[in-house]
Amino acid sequence: MKKNLDYYVGLPYREVIEADPAGGYVGYIPELRGCITQGETKTEILEMLEDAKKAWISAALEDGMEIPEPLREEDFSGRFNLRIPKSLHKRLAMQAKAEGVSLNQLAMYLLASGLKTAAS
């Protein structure tokens, strides 16, 4: 398949909408660096974001830039290695044992809790 404007516009890019402290909303597509727009309402921002995405992709195609595609679930295995100090490993293992869960379950819970806090 030829990767033209229609191809890229049809991809499921992640759209982020945030309230602007000055009023209205800001919308952007994280994979398309600099693809950002502002609007007064969420409905308006969705329409404007679609226009911004088309304009961004059109300009990138004209300039011969590489256009990143959205991340897909199958791009991730669900595994990664993490090196930590022995003392932290010990503390985590002891806490997991005390709670009756595996070290993996405890680590997953703590990571997810931290992500929720960071997103707030």
Side-chain angles (χ1 to χ4, degrees):
M1 167 178 254
K2 185 177 181 197
K3 294 186 176 184
N4 58 17
L5 179 62
D6 291 334
Y7 169 81
Y8 287 107
V9 168
L11 294 176
Y13 287 100
R14 185 168 58 104
E15 298 175 343
V16 178
I17 298 173
E18 298 175 347
D20 185 342
Y25 297 89
V26 174
Y28 62 94
I29 299 174
E31 292 95 348
L32 306 178
R33 188 178 185 115
C35 183
I36 187 169
T37 190
Q38 291 181 283
E40 292 300 315
T41 66
K42 288 183 181 180
T43 302
E44 181 184 28
I45 201 73
L46 286 171
E47 293 170 10
M48 294 178 75
L49 197 51
E50 189 65 24
D51 289 341
K53 178 172 66 173
K54 287 178 184 174
W56 192 101
I57 293 169
S58 291
L61 287 169
E62 287 176 21
D63 292 345
M65 292 174 44
E66 183 177 333
I67 301 172
E69 295 192 15
L71 298 174
R72 304 168 307 163
E73 285 293 321
E74 48 278 1
D75 293 336
F76 301 92
S77 68
R79 297 179 59 121
F80 71 97
N81 293 325
L82 177 66
R83 297 198 184 280
I84 59 175
K86 289 179 183 181
S87 60
L88 178 56
H89 188 177
K90 178 182 176 185
R91 287 177 50 206
L92 288 168
M94 290 172 57
Q95 183 174 344
K97 185 175 182 178
E99 294 184 18
V101 297
S102 70
L103 180 57
N104 189 65
Q105 288 172 314
L106 177 65
M108 188 170 46
Y109 167 77
L110 293 170
L111 284 169
S113 297
L115 284 175
K116 289 177 187 169
T117 302
S120 308

